[in-house]
Each structure stands twice: as structure tokens, then as C-alpha cells.
Amino acid sequence: MSFQQFLLILKARWLVIVAVFVLTVASITTISLLMPKQFSATSTVVVDIKSPDLLTGMATNAMMSNSIMATQLDIVRSPRVAKEVVRMLQLEQSPESVERWREATDGKGVLVDWLASSLQRNLEVLPSRESNVINITFTAASPEFAAAVANAYAQAYARVNVNLRVGPARQYADFFEQQGEAARARLEKAQRELSEYQKANGITSLDDRMDVETTKLNELSAQLTAVQAISAESRSKRANGRQDVLVDVMQNSLVQSLKADVARTEAKLSEATSRFGSAHPAVSSLEAELSTLRSRLDAEMRRVSASVSTSDDINRQREAQIQAALTAQKTRVLQLNRDRDQLNVLRRNVDSAQRAYDVILARADQTGIESQVNQANIVLLNAASVPATHSKPRVFINVLVSVFLGVVLGVGIGFIIELLNRRVRCADDLSDVLEMPVLGQVTSAAQLIQNIPQNQLKLAAS
């Protein structure tokens, strides 16, 4: 369709278009003027999501701000906040509200839920652009009621926000309190087991006692080594059957003196025998003296040899005693090691129970403080005031919309009528319908005269 065809259709159907336009504008204007007036009140709150938490000191991540704001908007629109508004304004006690509920639901359902749903339908929650400000707008037939509900929504939102924060904290506080009692019981049990074990084994300072017993063990080990060396030497001396070759015998001063006396007496006896003969009284006297010296030498050597055997027996006894004492000391040290290991286990149990109790106690204190918080991060920026003018209907905007809509409807209806009753209004219509070229066009006499230039008309008249 060409622009000429479009204009020809508008020219032909202008009465229909104008009628539809006037009817549309008049209808919308009339409806706008007859509609009951609605008043909107807006309460503004600020959500503080950038400041660090007063209890934990943790700041909110900047990437989570959008998510937090979206969550806060959902909370404001939630039925829980709406029910809180109903309770705050005591709407469920209003006879008018009860009557409207019975008319709408025939008394079915819960009155508070129905009132909360009614409030939600007239609520508009919008965030300010690139800020943490939330605009809570409520629309109602009464300006006072609209302002009251908007302010009540702001207060209910802050109250619900506190409850959402305090509710889990109270649950955690109860949980940590129970866990704290259980942890304290475990700690007391571990401490009791440690004390009973120390009392049963007489342990006061196990480390000092362990050092003393270890020192005794080392001393006994050194003594046993020395006694074993002496005993081995005495056994080797005792194993040798000859008395004259014993070191103790050879090193004995009396034995050496007696041996010297025997040697001198033997020399004198040999000299006297060669000089006087064996029957001389001097020789007999020397022989008797030599026999006496040899008897004394043998007796002394036997005595020294006997002392070596006695010393060997004593060394063996000492070795056995020290060995027994060393074995007993080893047993005592091993027992102390076992006591120390068991004591360390009990101490670790006490330390572990103490750490667990301290952690649970700290969390219980923190959650206990959080459960008592009555401040939210919601601040009322601007309270809603009673609106002086109505917000709905918007007559001027509705008239502008009706003008645009009337033009569109008028043109649309005109074209629909034209399509239902198609007319030939120009040469293009013929060529479009017949699909044949137009060879010529016959115009009316008036149009023909209008198309003749003025100078030709004057010549023809003359």
C-alpha cells in the first residue's frame, strides 16, 4: 500500500476514525474522572550492608551487595512482614475488616492471612538506583491509612529483620549451651580420671621422680660394670691352682719378707753344711729355723690365697646383688615410663576436653550476645506522611494515553472497515486488483479545469 492509498483511505473513513477517537477519549476520561481516588504514601528505609558487623567485626563483600539487597526486597514483600503489619495496626480487630473478609471468603480461611494478602496487593517496594535505600509505597483509598500502613511496613520490616537474625542465634545459643554442658562433663570426667590415677600411683611430680630413678639406674649400671670387671679378675685368679704365682701372693710384703728369710736361711744352711757337716748342731738349728720359715711362708701364702677366694665370693655376691638391684631398677623405670605414658594420655584428654570446652563456651557467649540483640541494620530514613493529593487515577496521563489509543483504534477500525468493503479510490487500486497496467485516467470537469493553467483559461475566454 502506497502512502497515497493510505491518505485516501483516511480521507474516506474520517468520520469513523473521528468517532472512534472521540469515543475512546471520552470513555477513558470519564472513567478516570469516575474512578475512586487512591492515595499513595512512601516510607524510605536505609539498609546498612557496608558497615562491619558490630559483633563479629566482619565486613560485607561488595560482590554480595546486590544479592543482599534483592533478599531484603523479598523480605519486605513477604507475608511474614504483612502479617506483622496487620498485628501492629490491629486490623484483625476491626469490624469492617472482619465484614469484608466474610463477604470475600464466606468466613473460610484465616483472617490475618487474608488481610496480609490484601495489603500485599497494594504494596510497591522499589530500591533506589545504585544505593541501599528502599522505598516502601502503599496505596489506599484513605490517605491516613496509606501513611499508617507504609510506616507500619517500615517498622515491621525492621522488626522481622531483627527476628530473622536473632531467631537462629537463639537456636544456636541453646545448642551451644547444651554442648557446653556436655563438654564440661567430659572435662570434669577427664580431670577426675587424671587425679584418681595420680592418687592411685602416688604420682606428685613424675618428671623429677623419673630423673632420680634414671640416675639411679645409670649408677647401678656403672657399678655392675665395675664389679663384673673385678669379679672376672678374681675368678681368673681363683681358677689358677698355684698359690705362688698369684699376684696377690707375689705382691704381699710379708710373703716377700718370708721368702727373703727362707732364702737367707737356705744360704746359711748350705754354708754350714759344707763347713761343719750335716750332724753339726748349728746345721740342725738352721734346718729347724728354715722349716719354721717355710711353714710360716706356706701358711701366709695359704692365707693370701684364701683371701683371694673370699674376695671372689664377695665380688660374686656383690655382682648378684647389683644385678638384682639393676633389674629391679629397670622394672621401676619401665613402670614409671608406662605411668608417664598413661599420665600423658590422661593429660592430653584433659587438654583436649579443655580446648573443646573453651571453644564451645566462646561460641555460646557470642551466640548468647547475638540472641539478645534488638538492633537491626535497618534505619528509617523518611517516614511516610499523609498525602495531600491522590496518586490514582492520573487523569492527565490517562487523557494522553486515550488520545494515542483513540488515534490507533480509529485508524485501525477505519482500515478494518475498508478491508471489509474495499473501494477503488485511485489508479493504483485498479492495478493492484486487476494486476494490469493503467493506460489512462478520466477525471472530472472540475478537476480538469483546476489542472489547466490560468493563462490558457484567459486566452480561451477572450
Side-chain angles (χ1 to χ4, degrees):
M1 179 181 294
S2 63
F3 184 70
Q4 182 182 4
Q5 291 176 310
F6 175 75
L7 295 178
L8 290 174
I9 293 174
L10 293 179
K11 182 179 179 180
R13 304 294 179 180
W14 70 273
L15 290 176
V16 174
I17 295 173
V18 171
V20 172
F21 173 78
V22 172
L23 181 62
T24 302
V25 173
S27 300
I28 294 177
T29 303
T30 303
I31 293 173
S32 299
L33 293 175
L34 295 178
M35 285 179 61
K37 294 181 180 181
Q38 299 288 323
F39 297 86
S40 298
T42 302
S43 179
T44 306
V45 296
V46 179
V47 183
D48 186 10
I49 61 177
K50 295 183 179 181
S51 300
D53 191 271
L54 296 178
L55 295 176
T56 62
M58 297 179 62
T60 304
N61 189 354
M63 298 180 63
M64 299 176 59
S65 299
N66 294 332
S67 176
I68 294 176
M69 286 299 298
T71 303
Q72 298 303 316
L73 294 176
D74 292 336
I75 293 175
V76 178
R77 301 188 187 103
S78 65
R80 181 172 179 177
V81 176
K83 293 178 183 179
E84 187 67 23
V85 172
V86 172
R87 296 186 183 95
M88 291 177 61
L89 298 178
Q90 299 180 353
L91 298 178
E92 73 278 7
Q93 300 178 7
S94 172
E96 182 181 356
S97 300
V98 175
E99 184 66 24
R100 289 192 292 106
W101 167 65
R102 289 177 179 175
E103 292 178 357
T105 63
D106 295 332
K108 298 179 181 179
V110 182
L111 174 60
V112 175
D113 295 341
W114 183 82
L115 291 174
S117 178
S118 300
L119 293 179
Q120 286 179 293
R121 287 194 293 268
N122 296 323
L123 178 69
E124 183 179 12
V125 182
L126 295 175
S128 296
R129 188 173 183 179
E130 298 180 357
S131 69
N132 299 332
V133 176
I134 298 178
N135 297 314
I136 303 175
T137 302
F138 187 80
T139 303
S142 171
E144 292 81 6
F145 183 72
V149 173
N151 291 325
Y153 252 102
Q155 297 175 7
Y157 165 53
R159 187 177 300 178
V160 170
N161 198 291
V162 172
N163 293 333
L164 290 176
R165 183 180 181 184
V166 173
R170 289 175 179 172
Q171 297 178 0
Y172 285 130
D174 296 338
F175 170 76
F176 282 116
E177 184 177 357
Q178 297 174 1
Q179 294 299 316
E181 294 177 357
R184 183 173 57 212
R186 289 193 296 268
L187 176 60
E188 292 175 353
K189 180 181 178 182
Q191 290 175 341
R192 185 169 56 253
E193 291 177 351
L194 177 60
S195 300
E196 291 176 354
Y197 184 80
Q198 289 177 331
K199 183 178 179 181
N201 294 274
I203 299 174
T204 55
S205 179
L206 187 60
D207 294 335
D208 296 339
R209 184 179 176 186
M210 189 69 186
D211 294 339
V212 173
E213 297 297 335
T214 303
T215 303
K216 289 182 179 180
L217 180 63
N218 294 332
E219 291 177 355
L220 288 174
S221 179
Q223 291 177 9
L224 179 62
T225 302
V227 170
Q228 285 177 346
I230 296 173
S231 180
E233 182 180 357
S234 63
R235 282 196 299 269
S236 65
K237 291 179 181 181
R238 189 174 185 179
N240 192 352
R242 295 179 60 185
Q243 298 177 356
D244 56 344
V245 297
L246 290 175
V247 176
D248 293 344
V249 174
M250 295 176 64
Q251 293 179 352
N252 190 276
S253 59
L254 182 57
V255 172
Q256 292 177 0
S257 177
L258 290 173
K259 283 184 178 182
D261 292 342
V262 169
R264 285 192 300 270
T265 302
E266 286 179 348
K268 290 179 181 180
L269 178 61
S270 177
E271 183 181 356
T273 302
S274 61
R275 179 184 295 181
F276 303 110
S278 59
H280 193 274
V283 174
S284 299
S285 176
L286 289 173
E287 288 179 350
E289 184 181 357
L290 179 61
S291 176
T292 301
L293 290 173
R294 285 178 177 174
S295 297
R296 289 178 61 189
L297 178 61
D298 291 338
E300 186 65 25
M301 292 178 64
R302 285 194 300 272
R303 187 187 66 78
V304 174
S305 178
S307 67
V308 171
S309 300
T310 303
S311 178
D312 181 45
D313 294 337
I314 294 173
N315 290 334
R316 289 186 179 183
Q317 291 177 2
R318 287 185 62 192
E319 181 181 358
Q321 292 174 356
I322 295 175
Q323 183 67 47
L326 181 63
T327 302
Q329 188 66 21
K330 285 182 178 179
T331 303
R332 189 177 298 107
V333 171
L334 291 176
Q335 182 62 37
L336 288 176
N337 285 330
R338 287 192 291 270
D339 293 343
R340 183 178 62 181
D341 294 340
Q342 183 64 25
L343 189 64
N344 290 334
V345 171
L346 295 175
R347 284 176 177 174
R348 284 195 294 269
N349 291 338
V350 172
D351 294 338
S352 178
Q354 183 67 49
R355 287 193 298 271
Y357 178 68
D358 292 340
V359 171
I360 294 175
L361 186 62
R363 291 289 293 131
D365 292 340
Q366 181 179 358
T367 53
I369 295 174
E370 291 179 356
S371 64
Q372 298 176 3
V373 173
N374 56 2
Q375 298 294 329
N377 58 341
I378 310 300
V379 179
L380 180 64
L381 183 61
N382 293 316
S385 59
V386 178
T389 58
H390 62 86
S391 60
K392 294 180 182 179
R394 301 176 180 179
V395 179
F396 180 73
I397 295 178
N398 291 343
V399 170
L400 293 179
V401 173
S402 66
V403 170
F404 174 76
L405 186 61
V407 172
V408 173
L409 288 177
V411 173
I413 292 174
F415 270 87
I416 292 174
I417 294 175
E418 182 68 21
L419 292 176
L420 294 176
N421 188 12
R422 195 77 172 94
R423 300 289 183 89
V424 176
R425 302 189 184 280
C426 61
D428 293 335
D429 292 339
L430 286 176
S431 61
D432 292 338
V433 173
L434 301 177
E435 296 181 355
M436 296 177 63
V438 177
L439 299 179
Q441 181 177 358
V442 177
T443 60
S444 62
Q447 292 179 349
L448 181 60
I449 294 173
Q450 290 178 358
N451 293 330
I452 297 174
Q454 294 296 325
N455 53 0
Q456 296 182 2
L457 289 176
K458 291 181 179 180
L459 292 175
S462 59

